[in-house]
């Protein structure tokens, strides 16, 4: 049984504010017109301080016949002291969103204690969803009221201001109630595990407002430059298409797997490396990449065409349309509870995926500019994951290279190939770099052979030589595999966990993938924790200095700032 209230008059609102002020901690949720925080308008707010109870304060339901509601200005004036009081704790589900929406109304939400999405994510980042409906099913065994069930689906879906108050209030008050009960269930699981509680309270929770700030700051892009690049990429696609037609001896649809398959395998007689589920020769990306590596011209051109086409559709065509008309900037959204290892991911648009290795990719990066009188400044960690590997493996050879500021790939090449540092060739350094990074990702001799274009036996010899020279790395990898098999999870240096459900799988491929993840996760996860801690510290420092600078992007181990030229 639940007891939910609709607040339709000023007196009831004041009573609830008084109650919440005394509660010490309460959960809240905003109802809005949009998922885009910058243009979302507040329709109502729900809150509660007791499980099974809840209140909904409607503010802007404007359908025909909607009852009179407390005015928005009055409500926010009354709520501001409560919402901005750092001593009164707030609990929410994805509070980064609610915080940003309230900022649109000049309210700075303070006292953020817990976020159920982040509690669930820290508890187990693998294989489970962290949205409220999924969490309620998993931890409370309850089916919540879905948005679709009250607002409809597809083109006819209503925005929340058009939803009838009776349905809206039950849905909204339930959100606040379920959030509070989810927190109680999740915190009961986290609290007895100090390392996980610490990851939540010292990394994820303090990072949330920092990310909200970065998203609001946004990044400036030169739409004219992107438009010019779009035209050039379009011309390049036409030229590559012509080249493909010449190589094929006929015109065909480059986007059709059926037509491409007929030309590659029937007409040109290329080797069939893999088949689809229906038994047809595959034209998948990985297969074409392998054929291109083997020196076949048409797959090389097709791969180039796909790469240029992706840049055009994902970035040069799309980014100008994602410029916010009010701010004139692009505002990405950072997901804190998606990547299993603790890394952030970016969406709408994804600003972490712009390629840097191709000339076209680098040109797209040039379209990101600073406001007049400002410069972009990027700071990134140097070979952070390799340094973490050296630290975790306590390997004297690697530690020596880093302590003495040597080029670590050159130092590895000198060790593996038994030559003096100054005699290492470019090819030897490239091979050593492939081994260094390959081992971080648990690469096998087969994978290394493929990457370096060597016979498998030679690649295996390289790996064995590497392990002879860096015995600490080999021991770390063996110990980590054993620990993962024993515990079912691995940890970062800060105690973040990655569970490995497939570590005992009967399927060899799945088990090996879990073992590779076990070796990589402590390194990638620790690197993610370090940059998150840096973001919190830099943000706090910028808040207390007079620097005219703001953080505008995070790209894995790199932070990007917009800084006044004279600073």
């Amino acid at each position: 049984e639940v007891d939910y209230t609709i607040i339709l008059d000023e007196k009831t609102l004041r009573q609830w504010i008084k109650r919440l002020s005394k509660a010490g901690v309460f959960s809240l949720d905003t109802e809005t017109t949009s998922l885009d925080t910058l243009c979302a308008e507040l329709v109502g707010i729900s809150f509660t301080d007791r499980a099974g109870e809840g209140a909904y304060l409607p503010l802007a339901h404007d359908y025909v016949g909607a009852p009179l509601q407390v005015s928005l200005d009055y409500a926010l004036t009354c709520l501001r002291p409560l919402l901005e009081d750092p001593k009164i704790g707030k609990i929410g589900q994805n509070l980064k969103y609610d915080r940003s929406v309230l900022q649109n109304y000049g309210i700075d939400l303070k006292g953020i204690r817990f976020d159920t999405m982040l509690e669930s994510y820290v508890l187990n980042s693998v294989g489970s969803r962290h949205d409220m409906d999924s969490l309620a099913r998993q931890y409370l065994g309850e089916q919540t009221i879905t948005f679709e069930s009250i607002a409809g689906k597809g083109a006819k879906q209503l925005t929340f201001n058009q939803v009838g108050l009776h349905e809206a209030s039950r849905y909204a008050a339930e959100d606040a109630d379920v959030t509070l009960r989810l927190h109680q269930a999740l915190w009961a699981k986290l609290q007895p595990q100090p390392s996980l509680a610490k990851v939540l309270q010292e990394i994820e929770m303090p990072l949330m407002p920092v990310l909200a700030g970065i998203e609001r700051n946004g990044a400036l892009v030169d739409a004219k430059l992107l438009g010019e690049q779009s035209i050039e990429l379009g011309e390049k696609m036409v030229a590559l298409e012509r080249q493909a037609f010449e190589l094929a001896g006929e015109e065909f649809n480059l986007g059709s797997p059926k037509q491409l398959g007929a030309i590659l395998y029937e007409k040109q007689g290329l080797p069939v490396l893999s088949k689809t589920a229906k038994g047809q020769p595959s034209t998948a990306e990985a297969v074409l990449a392998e054929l291109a590596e083997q020196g076949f011209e048409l797959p090389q051109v097709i791969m180039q065409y796909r790469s240029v086409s992706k840049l055009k559709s994902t970035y040069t065509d799309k980014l100008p349309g994602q410029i916010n008309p009010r701010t004139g900037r692009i505002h990405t959204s950072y997901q804190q509870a998606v990547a299993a290892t603790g890394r952030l991911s970016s969406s709408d648009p994804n600003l972490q995926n712009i390629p840097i290795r191709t000339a076209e990719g680098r040109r797209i990066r040039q379209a990101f500019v600073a406001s007049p009188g400002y410069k972009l400044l990027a700071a990134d960690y140097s070979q952070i994951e390799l340094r973490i590997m050296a630290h975790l493996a306590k390997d004297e050879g690697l530690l020596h290279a880093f302590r003495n500021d040597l080029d670590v790939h050159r130092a590895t090449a000198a060790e593996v190939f038994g030559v003096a540092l100054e005699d290492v060739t470019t090819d030897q350094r490239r091979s050593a770099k492939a081994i260094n990074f390959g081992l971080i990702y648990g690469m096998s001799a087969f994978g290394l052979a493929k990457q370096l274009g060597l016979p498998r036996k030679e690649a295996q010899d390289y790996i064995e030589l590497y392990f002879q020279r860096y015995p600490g790395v080999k021991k770390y990898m063996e110990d980590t595999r054993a620990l993962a098999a024993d515990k079912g999870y691995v940890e970062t240096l800060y105690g973040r966990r990655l569970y490995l459900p497939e570590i005992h799988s009967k399927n060899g491929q799945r088990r090996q993938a879990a073992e590779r993840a076990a070796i990589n996760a402590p390194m990638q996860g620790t690197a993610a924790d370090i940059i998150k801690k840096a973001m919190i510290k830099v943000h706090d420092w910028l808040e207390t200095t007079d620097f005219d600078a703001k953080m505008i992007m995070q790209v894995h181990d790199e932070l990007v700032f917009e800084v006044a030229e004279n600073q």
Side-chain angles (χ1 to χ4, degrees):
E1 285 301 304
V2 290
D3 177 15
Y4 295 157
T5 308
I6 306 180
I7 301 173
L8 283 172
D9 60 85
E10 295 175 358
K11 185 184 171 199
T12 314
L13 173 60
R14 289 196 300 272
Q15 285 169 348
W16 266 93
I17 290 173
K18 198 173 171 185
R19 170 176 162 174
L20 296 173
S21 300
K22 287 177 183 167
V25 64
F26 67 93
S27 71
L28 82 147
D29 186 43
T30 58
E31 300 301 344
T32 64
T33 53
S34 166
L35 290 174
D36 180 344
T37 54
L38 282 164
C39 62
E41 291 174 23
L42 205 51
V43 178
I45 304 175
S46 59
F47 26 70
T48 189
D49 60 340
R50 266 176 237 151
E53 296 182 22
Y56 177 54
L57 169 68
L59 296 165
H61 287 264
D62 52 9
Y63 56 89
V64 176
L68 203 62
Q69 295 145 66
V70 176
S71 88
L72 182 72
D73 285 348
Y74 179 84
L76 293 182
T77 303
C78 290
L79 283 165
R80 182 189 298 276
L82 176 73
L83 297 175
E84 292 190 342
D85 189 335
K87 293 191 287 296
I88 300 170
K90 321 296 189 296
I91 299 167
Q93 161 76 18
N94 188 16
L95 265 175
K96 175 158 71 74
Y97 174 83
D98 306 279
R99 185 180 187 277
S100 287
V101 169
L102 289 167
Q103 265 185 308
N104 294 343
Y105 295 87
I107 290 176
D108 186 9
L109 185 65
K110 289 190 179 127
I112 294 173
R113 293 275 164 82
F114 294 102
D115 189 308
T116 47
M117 178 180 80
L118 298 178
E119 286 177 296
S120 164
Y121 176 65
V122 170
L123 193 59
N124 187 357
S125 64
V126 181
S128 53
R129 294 172 57 131
H130 309 286
D131 60 282
M132 198 185 78
D133 295 343
S134 304
L135 295 181
R137 275 194 302 276
Q138 188 179 344
Y139 292 103
L140 306 176
E142 285 183 28
Q143 181 62 50
T144 48
I145 303 166
T146 63
F147 184 73
E148 283 78 16
S149 70
I150 60 162
K153 287 180 181 174
K156 290 186 176 173
Q157 189 175 62
L158 303 172
T159 49
F160 205 75
N161 52 306
Q162 298 164 318
V163 175
L165 263 193
H166 182 69
E167 295 87 0
S169 62
R170 188 161 177 90
Y171 168 84
E174 182 188 77
D175 278 359
D177 176 25
V178 166
T179 298
L180 181 65
R181 288 189 287 136
L182 271 176
H183 159 64
Q184 289 165 349
L186 290 162
W187 186 235
K189 291 178 184 295
L190 280 165
Q191 220 175 353
Q193 305 186 59
S195 65
L196 293 183
K198 198 173 167 186
V199 169
L200 177 74
Q201 292 181 305
E202 293 183 13
I203 299 177
E204 297 300 347
M205 290 305 301
L207 181 70
M208 195 217 338
V210 177
L211 291 176
I214 295 174
E215 291 172 0
R216 283 187 91 79
N217 287 340
L220 194 62
V221 291
D222 185 333
K224 185 166 169 279
L225 190 61
L226 286 169
E228 288 163 9
Q229 288 176 9
S230 233
I231 293 166
E232 285 168 33
L233 290 174
E235 287 165 356
K236 188 159 188 180
M237 281 168 69
V238 171
L240 286 164
E241 193 174 45
R242 276 200 212 104
Q243 205 180 333
F245 294 163
E246 277 172 33
L247 290 167
E250 62 176 276
E251 290 194 7
F252 67 101
N253 177 358
L254 269 68
S256 161
K258 194 177 174 187
Q259 291 182 31
L260 180 60
I263 284 167
L264 291 178
Y265 302 115
E266 291 166 29
K267 191 172 178 183
Q268 298 200 335
L270 265 53
V272 176
L273 304 178
S274 170
K275 290 190 174 181
T276 65
K278 290 184 178 171
Q280 299 299 316
S282 171
T283 57
E285 194 89 2
V287 175
L288 289 182
E290 187 138 339
L291 289 168
E293 262 177 45
Q294 290 179 17
F296 295 108
E297 270 192 272
L298 184 55
Q300 287 173 348
V301 172
I302 299 285
M303 287 295 286
Q304 265 186 290
Y305 177 87
R306 283 186 180 181
S307 160
V308 172
S309 164
K310 193 175 176 187
L311 285 179
K312 186 175 188 297
S313 62
T314 312
Y315 296 109
T316 58
D317 288 356
K318 210 169 171 189
L319 284 176
Q322 291 177 303
I323 295 170
N324 182 293
R326 206 175 78 234
T327 64
R329 296 167 82 92
I330 277 179
H331 301 269
T332 185
S333 178
Y334 286 103
Q335 266 73 45
Q336 241 176 306
V338 171
T341 55
R343 271 185 159 192
L344 293 174
S345 65
S346 151
S347 63
D348 305 315
N350 181 348
L351 298 182
Q352 296 182 323
N353 248 10
I354 304 170
I356 197 165
R357 291 205 172 91
T358 63
E360 290 90 359
R362 286 194 292 276
R363 287 200 58 207
I364 290 168
R365 284 170 175 247
Q366 283 168 7
F368 284 80
V369 292
S371 308
Y374 289 79
K375 283 225 186 312
L376 290 186
L377 180 144
D380 73 273
Y381 283 112
S382 155
Q383 294 167 338
I384 184 80
E385 289 182 20
L386 271 180
R387 288 174 197 271
I388 292 165
M389 180 160 89
H391 174 87
L392 291 171
K394 299 181 177 56
D395 183 274
E396 269 315 311
L398 274 180
L399 289 169
H400 171 81
F402 281 122
R403 277 195 201 111
N404 293 283
D405 220 10
L406 303 177
D407 172 338
V408 75
H409 303 310
R410 186 172 287 277
T412 300
E415 289 281 1
V416 172
F417 300 112
V419 294
L421 259 178
E422 58 274 12
D423 296 333
V424 170
T425 66
T426 310
D427 274 351
Q428 285 172 330
R429 185 185 182 278
R430 186 175 73 91
S431 301
K433 186 175 180 179
I435 299 172
N436 273 333
F437 284 119
L439 291 176
I440 286 181
Y441 294 104
M443 190 190 273
S444 62
F446 175 74
L448 185 66
K450 203 169 143 188
Q451 192 170 335
L452 294 176
L454 296 171
R456 191 167 169 177
K457 167 86 178 72
E458 211 172 311
Q460 185 62 50
D461 291 346
Y462 277 176
I463 289 178
E464 280 168 15
L465 257 173
Y466 181 96
F467 284 146
Q468 280 171 27
R469 294 285 185 268
Y470 299 116
V473 175
K474 186 174 190 186
K475 185 175 185 307
Y476 163 73
M477 292 170 108
E478 286 168 351
D479 290 352
T480 303
R481 277 194 201 97
L483 192 74
D486 178 39
K487 286 186 164 180
Y489 63 83
V490 286
E491 289 183 313
T492 68
L493 280 172
Y494 292 100
R496 183 189 297 279
R497 271 184 205 174
L498 181 89
Y499 285 92
L500 301 152
E502 301 277 14
I503 198 78
H504 296 295
S505 176
K506 299 267 192 292
N507 179 319
Q509 270 183 314
R510 286 184 180 173
R511 189 177 61 254
Q512 284 164 358
E515 286 176 351
R516 283 198 297 276
I519 288 162
N520 170 243
M523 290 178 263
Q524 197 181 94
T526 299
D529 290 343
I530 287 173
I531 193 95
K532 284 176 171 180
K533 285 177 88 75
M535 291 168 81
I536 295 162
K537 284 186 175 179
V538 171
H539 170 268
D540 291 351
W541 173 71
L542 283 175
E543 293 275 285
T544 57
T545 64
D546 294 331
F547 275 111
D548 185 0
K550 58 188 174 190
M551 214 181 318
I552 60 164
M553 254 188 273
Q554 189 256 41
V555 187
H556 301 313
D557 51 7
E558 173 180 41
L559 297 180
V560 183
F561 301 87
E562 197 167 332
V563 187
E565 271 180 14
N566 61 350
Q567 296 183 343

